[in-house]
Amino acid sequence: MDFCNIASLYKDELYNNIIPFWLEKSQDNAYGGYFSCLDRKGEVYDTDKFIWLQGREAWFFAMAYNYIERRPEWLKCAVQGGEFLKKYGHDGMFNWYFSVTRQGDPLVQPYNIFSYCFATMAFGQLYKATGNEEYAEIAKRTFDNILSKQDNPKGIYNKNVNATRPLMNFALPMILCNLSLEIEHLLPKETIDKTIENCIHLIMDRFYRPELGLIVENITPQGELSDSFEGRVLNPGHAIEAMWFIMDLGVRLSRKDLITKATEITLKMLDKGWDDKYGGIYYYMDRKGFPPQQLEWDQKLWWVHVESLISTLKGYQLTGSKECLQWAEKLHDYTWNHFRDNENPEWFGYLNRQGEVLLTLKGGKWKGCFHIPRGLYQAWKTLEKCK
Amino acid sequence: MDFCNIASLYKDELYNNIIPFWLEKSQDNAYGGYFSCLDRKGEVYDTDKFIWLQGREAWFFAMAYNYIERRPEWLKCAVQGGEFLKKYGHDGMFNWYFSVTRQGDPLVQPYNIFSYCFATMAFGQLYKATGNEEYAEIAKRTFDNILSKQDNPKGIYNKNVNATRPLMNFALPMILCNLSLEIEHLLPKETIDKTIENCIHLIMDRFYRPELGLIVENITPQGELSDSFEGRVLNPGHAIEAMWFIMDLGVRLSRKDLITKATEITLKMLDKGWDDKYGGIYYYMDRKGFPPQQLEWDQKLWWVHVESLISTLKGYQLTGSKECLQWAEKLHDYTWNHFRDNENPEWFGYLNRQGEVLLTLKGGKWKGCFHIPRGLYQAWKTLEKCK
């Protein structure tokens, strides 16, 4: 791998393809916020606004302004999204809806804690970019809400009878690993340190199962495996994404052991998740090999591959692991050959098992301005450090 | 089509393949009720009990006893499932859980009104089979609960902000068409007549859109189209299944107009839903051709094809439509060639777009002892009437 050349490839793609696409196609100049439902060419096909994706796009453009280049149009794009979120994204108490109409009327109640997480990320970066104290306050109050909901994230919308089969889910501690670094400039050091330590412990000592060599998505509150659909499900992309959050924390805390372990887990999850027949990483698997509940289990998703690429690149850069480098090359090839749209801007998100395009959209309910630009940025910056 | 021979084929498959599979593999002799998570060979891979499928299997065996043959092992199978449901399926007020553990502890709260519908069907047939008044009472009280929940079926578990974009869903009126004939022996004639008239009106005058020639899954309370993900989605199998419920009502009410219209809609939905490239009927589509939200949109599901076969056979038998007969032949061929497992008992449920087996299970969270045996029975009986 010619690291220097490939770093430029990622940078160019970010600057010349992805960022212009979202700047030009997604901003709602009439009502504020962003359209995320964009077809193959970037035309809007639905105007509903999903709070995950509103927060993520505001985060991305503020982050890009803070860390990549101080371009005023990036800041403006971030701030207008933040203003829409501030006005319409929550119920007044910083409980964040799942979705709102184009005009900002609430469509789906605040049942999903990740709407809160992406709002926190957005306002943390917006504060850094503008110094506007109001943004800091929104980030802090939302983060408090997240912590208070940790034990029952869905609250009144939880349909599970927890007394019968209580389970802890991987997603929240995973996101908190990343989120705590995103907002450490806003919170007391003890809060951040405590949150980080707790999340690292849960992920590396509980959700990671040494007896399997794998990370599972749900465990019992006692930290044990559960032999149920939820307890058997693996989401390789999810686990691998978490590993680069852990590597970042390892760098930050100067904990080489964490970096080594995260690299090993990345490789094990890739071995498990790779489709030897058609290439690419499965979306869901059952750890016992039983039929998974998710009908989309064999599909190849953009974020799974982009996040895996980051983890293998960071794993190589931080440990020199040749296996990581080989996987990074394999993932680079698969990703560029299958997800990039060579005829229109931005990248595809959803392929079938065979690697053919399943949905031609460039954005939708779950795909927005996030994994592709963040992934290109992370790959570019990591490749620049590689030798 | 040699109707007589093919009728025998369906009868033989029901008697010699499908019924023995569920009788032998699904009954939980230790705790009662049925296992539905059965792998390719019929081995249990998960013991959770889903109320939809508990109700449906009890219904099927009681119906088979009532209408096909008075075999004591069928009645015994139905009654033991009914007893499990009676004890563990609901909260004491006939609010039916979505799922319970093998032992009967509740896992998922009563958020899903179709758990209620299938429980009503089961106890209606169980009463007919046994004369046990307790079963009649359960069916009646559950049906009352369904009617009282018609306007907001998910109740406290509804995450939509109805004030912003209120929508009516097709599934409940559709099921009520079938359910009202199932339990007419239990309810006052006026209640049944009123329910039937209301459902026919909703389905044929509201969810059916003459401007599109199609049935949509969600409309506004004013009976208009909605340009949103929910308002654009089509589920061809769902709409076509409803058409044989309507044909049955047409026969019952001696309304030839209903039968003719249901036959026409069946043909239009088939034209829209058929995959010209690989064959089979898509699971979900967007009526405007936009990317659907459902990642499994292009998969080929057992129930979609079995229900469509019934509607085309009934359409032919009742109207003599040659187009219906041609479709019935096409669906017969696709179904037997793709869903039947020639090496092991029962049929596959989930194929990818290409028609290859996606999940090898014979039963799971949603597939149980229902569409295949009911479909074989309906096809057999309808073919016997064909000329």
Side-chain angles (χ1 to χ4, degrees):
Chain A
M1 221 181 206
D2 176 345
F3 299 119
C4 189
N5 261 343
I6 298 189
S8 300
L9 180 71
Y10 282 92
K11 182 182 174 183
D12 287 350
E13 187 71 0
L14 179 65
Y15 264 83
N16 301 320
N17 180 358
I18 305 302
I19 289 181
F21 176 89
W22 294 100
L23 271 182
E24 289 159 24
K25 306 288 190 184
S26 79
Q27 294 194 77
D28 182 352
N29 298 316
Y31 293 94
Y34 316 105
F35 301 117
S36 70
C37 296
L38 303 169
D39 71 10
R40 186 169 179 181
K41 295 187 174 176
E43 299 299 314
V44 176
Y45 66 88
D46 194 277
T47 59
D48 284 356
K49 290 173 180 166
F50 303 96
I51 301 303
W52 279 35
L53 301 187
Q54 301 295 309
R56 283 169 156 192
E57 184 159 351
W59 171 83
F60 176 76
F61 277 104
M63 186 284 291
Y65 179 82
N66 291 331
Y67 292 97
I68 304 180
E69 196 183 329
R70 294 185 95 73
R71 291 212 185 186
E73 71 271 28
W74 295 357
L75 181 61
K76 198 176 152 207
C77 178
V79 167
Q80 72 85 357
E83 288 296 312
F84 183 88
L85 275 170
K86 188 181 87 183
K87 278 192 213 111
Y88 304 115
H90 62 97
D91 66 355
M93 301 294 285
F94 306 101
N95 293 303
W96 298 82
Y97 297 117
F98 182 75
S99 60
V100 302
T101 63
R102 181 179 181 185
Q103 291 79 11
D105 295 319
L107 280 169
V108 177
Q109 301 284 7
Y111 80 95
N112 188 299
I113 195 145
F114 303 103
S115 308
Y116 297 55
C117 293
F118 299 119
T120 307
M121 278 172 72
F123 285 100
Q125 288 291 343
L126 279 164
Y127 171 63
K128 204 175 267 180
T130 62
N132 181 341
E133 290 292 340
E134 193 186 14
Y135 295 158
E137 189 61 22
I138 297 173
K140 281 189 276 188
R141 291 195 51 190
T142 303
F143 191 71
D144 285 345
N145 280 347
I146 295 170
L147 294 184
S148 75
K149 283 170 180 283
Q150 265 189 101
D151 292 335
N152 185 15
K154 287 198 180 172
I156 58 166
Y157 303 103
N158 179 16
K159 296 179 299 205
N160 293 324
V161 180
N162 286 341
T164 305
R165 184 184 291 155
L167 289 174
M168 278 200 299
N169 183 266
F170 178 66
L172 188 56
M174 171 207 162
I175 295 267
L176 285 175
C177 278
N178 183 240
L179 190 55
S180 35
L181 287 189
E182 281 284 332
I183 58 158
E184 61 174 334
H185 57 295
L186 293 175
L187 294 176
K189 189 169 179 306
E190 313 88 80
T191 310
I192 294 292
D193 289 349
K194 207 178 120 194
T195 306
I196 288 176
E197 272 317 304
N198 184 38
C199 292
I200 291 175
H201 165 69
L202 283 174
I203 290 173
M204 304 305 265
D205 305 326
R206 290 288 178 267
F207 288 98
Y208 171 68
R209 312 302 307 181
E211 68 272 43
L212 307 169
L214 300 170
I215 285 177
V216 298
E217 289 292 303
N218 295 287
I219 54 174
T220 71
Q222 293 74 39
E224 302 298 329
L225 289 170
S226 162
D227 190 6
S228 58
F229 281 105
E230 294 75 17
R232 289 192 304 269
V233 72
L234 303 176
N235 184 328
H238 210 206
I240 297 169
E241 180 180 0
M243 291 305 100
W244 74 258
F245 298 167
I246 295 285
M247 292 179 208
D248 280 2
L249 288 172
V251 170
R252 174 51 178 283
L253 304 169
S254 304
R255 282 188 53 186
K256 199 149 192 275
D257 63 309
L258 268 186
I259 294 170
T260 305
K261 196 169 170 190
T263 304
E264 285 165 9
I265 296 173
T266 296
L267 293 171
K268 281 181 180 161
M269 290 300 304
L270 279 167
D271 263 332
K272 180 77 183 177
W274 188 257
D275 177 355
D276 287 323
K277 190 165 176 191
Y278 294 105
I281 301 162
Y282 292 118
Y283 189 8
Y284 290 104
M285 303 173 88
D286 182 293
R287 65 179 167 81
K288 294 182 129 183
F290 297 145
Q293 271 192 79
Q294 293 81 3
L295 298 186
E296 65 274 30
W297 71 276
D298 70 346
Q299 295 176 10
K300 310 293 163 65
L301 268 65
W302 81 107
W303 66 266
V304 170
H305 294 78
V306 166
E307 298 302 328
S308 296
L309 179 65
I310 301 173
S311 294
T312 52
L313 285 172
K314 289 198 189 235
Y316 171 69
Q317 186 249 315
L318 294 168
T319 70
S321 154
K322 281 196 183 137
E323 253 194 291
C324 271
L325 183 59
Q326 284 161 1
W327 271 111
E329 286 170 342
K330 199 165 167 176
L331 287 163
H332 168 86
D333 289 343
Y334 186 90
T335 302
W336 284 77
N337 287 331
H338 290 85
F339 288 103
R340 188 172 195 278
D341 181 356
N342 294 322
E343 291 163 37
N344 294 278
E346 246 279 349
W347 292 23
F348 296 118
Y350 300 91
L351 313 178
N352 65 13
R353 180 173 174 191
Q354 290 76 18
E356 299 158 346
V357 176
L358 177 75
L359 295 172
T360 55
L361 61 81
K362 297 302 169 56
K365 185 174 176 181
W366 304 103
K367 183 175 189 288
C369 177
F370 189 64
H371 288 286
I372 298 285
R374 183 178 75 171
L376 295 173
Y377 167 69
Q378 287 284 344
W380 156 33
K381 290 294 171 184
T382 307
L383 283 159
E384 281 189 344
K385 289 184 212 148
C386 285
K387 283 165 215 156
Chain B
M1 220 181 208
D2 176 344
F3 299 120
C4 188
N5 263 344
I6 297 189
S8 300
L9 180 72
Y10 281 93
K11 182 183 173 182
D12 287 349
E13 186 71 1
L14 179 64
Y15 264 83
N16 301 320
N17 180 357
I18 305 302
I19 289 181
F21 176 89
W22 294 100
L23 270 182
E24 289 159 24
K25 306 288 191 184
S26 79
Q27 294 193 78
D28 182 352
N29 297 317
Y31 293 95
Y34 316 105
F35 301 116
S36 69
C37 295
L38 302 169
D39 71 10
R40 185 168 181 182
K41 296 188 173 176
E43 300 298 315
V44 177
Y45 65 87
D46 194 277
T47 59
D48 283 356
K49 290 171 179 165
F50 303 95
I51 302 303
W52 279 36
L53 301 187
Q54 301 296 309
R56 284 168 155 194
E57 184 159 351
W59 171 83
F60 176 75
F61 279 103
M63 185 285 290
Y65 179 83
N66 292 331
Y67 293 96
I68 304 178
E69 195 182 331
R70 293 186 96 74
R71 290 212 185 185
E73 70 270 28
W74 295 356
L75 181 61
K76 199 177 151 206
C77 178
V79 168
Q80 72 86 357
E83 288 296 312
F84 182 88
L85 276 170
K86 188 181 86 183
K87 280 194 212 110
Y88 304 115
H90 61 97
D91 66 355
M93 300 294 286
F94 305 101
N95 294 303
W96 297 82
Y97 297 116
F98 182 76
S99 60
V100 301
T101 62
R102 180 179 181 185
Q103 290 78 12
D105 294 320
L107 280 169
V108 177
Q109 300 284 8
Y111 79 94
N112 187 299
I113 195 146
F114 303 103
S115 309
Y116 296 56
C117 293
F118 299 119
T120 307
M121 279 173 70
F123 286 100
Q125 288 292 343
L126 279 165
Y127 171 63
K128 203 175 267 179
T130 62
N132 181 341
E133 289 292 340
E134 192 185 14
Y135 294 158
E137 189 61 21
I138 296 173
K140 281 189 277 187
R141 291 195 52 188
T142 303
F143 191 71
D144 285 346
N145 281 346
I146 294 170
L147 294 185
S148 75
K149 283 170 180 283
Q150 265 189 102
D151 293 334
N152 185 14
K154 286 197 180 173
I156 58 166
Y157 303 103
N158 180 16
K159 295 178 300 203
N160 293 324
V161 180
N162 286 339
T164 305
R165 184 185 291 155
L167 289 172
M168 277 200 300
N169 182 266
F170 178 65
L172 189 56
M174 170 206 163
I175 294 268
L176 285 175
C177 279
N178 184 241
L179 190 55
S180 33
L181 287 188
E182 281 285 332
I183 57 158
E184 61 175 333
H185 57 296
L186 294 175
L187 295 175
K189 190 168 178 308
E190 314 87 79
T191 309
I192 293 291
D193 289 350
K194 208 179 120 194
T195 306
I196 288 175
E197 272 317 304
N198 183 39
C199 292
I200 291 174
H201 165 67
L202 284 174
I203 290 173
M204 304 304 266
D205 304 327
R206 290 289 177 267
F207 288 97
Y208 172 68
R209 312 301 309 181
E211 68 272 45
L212 307 169
L214 300 171
I215 284 178
V216 298
E217 289 293 303
N218 294 286
I219 55 173
T220 71
Q222 293 74 39
E224 302 298 328
L225 289 171
S226 162
D227 190 5
S228 58
F229 280 105
E230 293 75 16
R232 289 192 304 269
V233 72
L234 303 176
N235 183 328
H238 211 205
I240 297 169
E241 180 180 0
M243 292 304 101
W244 76 256
F245 298 167
I246 296 285
M247 292 178 207
D248 279 3
L249 288 171
V251 171
R252 175 52 178 281
L253 303 169
S254 303
R255 282 188 53 186
K256 200 149 191 278
D257 63 309
L258 267 187
I259 295 170
T260 306
K261 196 170 170 191
T263 304
E264 285 165 10
I265 297 174
T266 296
L267 293 171
K268 281 181 180 160
M269 291 301 302
L270 278 168
D271 263 332
K272 179 77 181 177
W274 188 258
D275 178 355
D276 287 324
K277 189 164 177 193
Y278 294 104
I281 301 162
Y282 292 118
Y283 189 7
Y284 291 104
M285 302 173 89
D286 182 291
R287 65 180 167 80
K288 294 182 129 183
F290 297 145
Q293 272 192 79
Q294 293 81 4
L295 297 186
E296 65 274 29
W297 72 275
D298 70 346
Q299 296 176 10
K300 310 293 163 63
L301 268 65
W302 83 107
W303 66 266
V304 170
H305 294 78
V306 166
E307 298 302 328
S308 297
L309 179 65
I310 301 173
S311 294
T312 53
L313 285 172
K314 289 198 189 238
Y316 171 70
Q317 186 249 316
L318 294 167
T319 71
S321 154
K322 282 199 185 136
E323 254 192 290
C324 271
L325 182 60
Q326 283 161 2
W327 271 111
E329 287 170 343
K330 199 165 166 175
L331 287 163
H332 168 85
D333 289 343
Y334 186 90
T335 302
W336 284 78
N337 287 331
H338 290 85
F339 288 104
R340 188 173 195 277
D341 181 357
N342 294 323
E343 291 164 37
N344 294 278
E346 246 278 350
W347 291 23
F348 297 118
Y350 300 90
L351 312 179
N352 65 13
R353 181 173 174 192
Q354 290 75 16
E356 298 158 344
V357 176
L358 177 75
L359 294 172
T360 55
L361 61 81
K362 297 302 168 57
K365 184 173 175 181
W366 304 103
K367 183 175 189 288
C369 178
F370 189 64
H371 289 285
I372 298 284
R374 184 178 75 171
L376 295 173
Y377 167 69
Q378 287 284 345
W380 156 34
K381 290 293 171 184
T382 307
L383 283 158
E384 282 188 344
K385 290 183 213 147
C386 285
K387 283 167 214 153

